[in-house]
Amino acid sequence: MSAIIELGGVRKTYRSGAVEFEALRGIDIRIDTGEYVAVIGPSGSGKSTLMNILGCLDVPTEGHYVLAGEDTSSLDEAELAAIRNRRIGFVFQQFHLLPSMSALRNVELPLIYAGLSRADRRERAAEALAKVGLAERLDHRPGELSGGQQQRVAVARALVTEPALLLADEPTGNLDSRSTRDVLGLLDELHDAGRTIVLITHEQDVAARAGRSLVIDDGLITSDRATAAAPAGATS
C-alpha cells in the first residue's frame, strides 16, 4: 500500500534570542493510504508542533516530510499554501465558520481559491454537505445549527476539495457528549469509505476510535500500536 505520510528524522527547534527549545526530537512516521491514525499526548508533548508540520503550516528544522509523494520540507510559504489547499482537509476544535454565510457558502470557500466556477462550487458543496447528512441544511447559517451540525459543516468544507489527507485537530473539544458521538461516527464512516484520517487528541476514548494510535511525549513517539478499532490481522 502506498504511503500518504512519510516523516524521517523530523526535528523542530524554536529559537528566541539565545534560548532554544526542541519541540520535536527525531520523528519517524509512515502512514499509508486509507489509515485512520490518532496522535495522542498531553499538553507540551509536541503534538501541536507535529500537527502543524503534517498540515504544512510549518516545516521541520531537520529531516523530511513527504506528503502524497511530494517532499514539503524545503518549500516556500506560497508552495505550502498550494499544498494545503490541494491535498489537506482541516477540521479544528473551533469550527471557523463565517456566521453571516450559509452552510453551503461556507463549504464553497476552498473552491473559490481553487478557481472553480460558481455553478461547480455550488454543486460540489451541496454534494459534500449531503455526504455528512446535511442535505436539508444548505441554507442554514451556523447560528441556526447545533454544535455537532456546525462541525459536520466544517468536515464537509474539509472534504470538498477531495484532499489526500483529512487532518482533525481536537475535533470534539467543543462538543457535548451527544455531538461528540455524532462527529466521531461521521469520521468512522469516512474512514470506512477509504479516507485517510489523522486525528490529534488528548483523550484516550477518542483515540480508541482510530485503527492505530501514536503516543507522543517530550517530542518523541513513545508508542505506535494498533487499537481495538483496528481491522482483524492488524499488527502492533
Side-chain angles (χ1 to χ4, degrees):
M1 188 173 291
S2 62
I4 287 289
I5 287 172
E6 293 178 282
L7 282 81
V10 167
R11 295 176 177 270
K12 183 64 183 181
T13 302
Y14 294 102
R15 295 179 175 86
S16 178
V19 178
E20 291 189 353
F21 170 69
E22 195 170 31
L24 299 179
R25 301 193 294 125
I27 301 289
D28 299 291
I29 299 173
R30 175 186 168 117
I31 296 175
D32 288 334
T33 302
E35 280 199 89
Y36 184 0
V37 178
V39 177
I40 186 166
S43 297
S45 63
K47 70 179 186 297
S48 294
T49 301
L50 179 60
M51 189 279 294
N52 287 339
I53 289 174
L54 292 177
C56 293
L57 298 165
D58 203 350
V59 294
T61 305
E62 296 180 25
H64 69 271
Y65 171 32
V66 178
L67 174 62
E70 187 168 1
D71 193 338
T72 69
S73 307
S74 60
L75 300 182
D76 63 27
E77 181 51 44
E79 292 167 326
L80 290 171
I83 286 181
R84 289 194 298 270
N85 191 56
R86 188 173 72 251
R87 298 191 183 277
I88 306 171
F90 293 93
V91 182
F92 296 104
Q93 180 175 343
Q94 305 292 339
F95 312 131
H96 296 304
L97 302 177
L98 297 180
S100 63
M101 290 187 174
S102 67
L104 186 68
R105 292 291 304 282
N106 269 284
V107 175
E108 279 186 66
L109 288 175
L111 300 177
I112 294 175
Y113 302 119
L116 272 68
S117 69
R118 182 178 181 185
D120 287 343
R121 293 198 308 266
R122 291 182 66 85
E123 179 180 357
R124 286 180 57 172
E127 289 174 354
L129 285 163
K131 287 178 182 177
V132 300
L134 292 177
E136 307 301 320
R137 298 288 190 271
L138 304 186
D139 296 324
H140 286 63
R141 295 182 180 180
E144 300 170 320
L145 301 171
S146 70
Q149 288 172 331
Q150 290 183 61
Q151 192 60 293
R152 282 179 172 263
V153 174
V155 171
R157 182 183 57 197
L159 294 174
V160 76
T161 58
E162 294 293 327
L165 170 67
L166 182 63
L167 186 58
D169 183 22
E170 302 281 4
T172 62
N174 280 341
L175 302 178
D176 59 29
S177 58
R178 180 177 179 180
S179 295
T180 292
R181 290 192 299 270
D182 186 42
V183 170
L184 291 177
L186 174 58
L187 293 178
D188 289 343
E189 293 170 10
L190 293 170
H191 174 238
D192 289 343
R195 291 281 175 185
T196 305
I197 302 172
V198 175
L199 170 69
I200 311 295
T201 185
H202 66 275
E203 300 179 72
Q204 292 284 352
D205 56 340
V206 173
R209 300 292 288 261
R212 177 180 168 198
S213 177
L214 302 177
V215 177
I216 186 169
D217 193 22
D218 196 24
L220 294 168
I221 299 296
T222 59
S223 174
D224 181 353
R225 61 182 179 83
T227 68
T235 57
S236 299

